[in-house]
Amino acid sequence: QPFSFWAKASISTYFAWAARFWILNCVLQAFLPSVDHFLVYGRQLSMWVIMLISPTPGGSGIAEFAFSGFLGELIVPGSLVIVLAIIWRLASYYPYLFVGSIILPRWLRRTAKK
């Protein structure tokens, strides 16, 4: 493929992943307008590395635990940590599962050898 193809693919991949990480910043901005977004973004990158080595699909359970560990000190009311972790996962993880459960069977049917 020409260089322009790979450049477009790289740029779109970068923005797709960046948008996925920005979801947490948007959730925190809704509840905590004074939070340092670069700090949150960096800590979330570290959380994703931990979730990659998690034995559970999508880091279920680990993500929520890591959320309180990495970002708990930034969220002043402690009871808000659990609520924000759930909102974050509802917005960033579960839509992929829902859409995938619709797309995967159709894709498998279409690509199955007959």
Side-chain angles (χ1 to χ4, degrees), residues 6-39:
W6 293 109
K8 290 176 192 174
S10 298
I11 290 169
S12 62
T13 300
Y14 170 78
F15 281 109
W17 276 100
R20 187 176 177 137
F21 286 113
W22 290 336
I23 289 173
L24 178 58
N25 287 63
C26 292
V27 169
L28 291 178
Q29 181 68 33
F31 292 91
L32 308 163
S34 63
V35 71
D36 180 8
H37 291 289
F38 289 112
L39 180 62

Side-chain angles (χ1 to χ4, degrees), residues 65-76:
F65 179 73
F67 183 91
S68 65
F70 278 85
L71 299 168
E73 68 186 38
L74 300 175
I75 303 168
V76 177

Side-chain angles (χ1 to χ4, degrees), residues 45-110:
L45 288 172
S46 300
M47 285 185 345
W48 278 97
V49 170
I50 290 170
M51 289 175 8
L52 284 173
I53 60 173
S54 169
T56 60
S60 295
I62 304 296
E64 291 77 8
F65 179 73
F67 183 91
S68 65
F70 278 85
L71 299 168
E73 68 186 38
L74 300 175
I75 303 168
V76 177
S79 60
L80 194 57
V81 173
I82 302 298
V83 173
L84 292 178
I86 291 170
I87 292 171
W88 166 60
R89 293 296 277 178
L90 285 173
S92 67
Y93 178 65
Y94 294 109
Y96 287 95
L97 292 179
F98 178 71
V99 171
S101 68
I102 294 170
I103 292 174
L104 182 65
R106 292 179 184 176
W107 178 77
L108 289 174
R109 239 182 280 124
R110 188 185 60 187

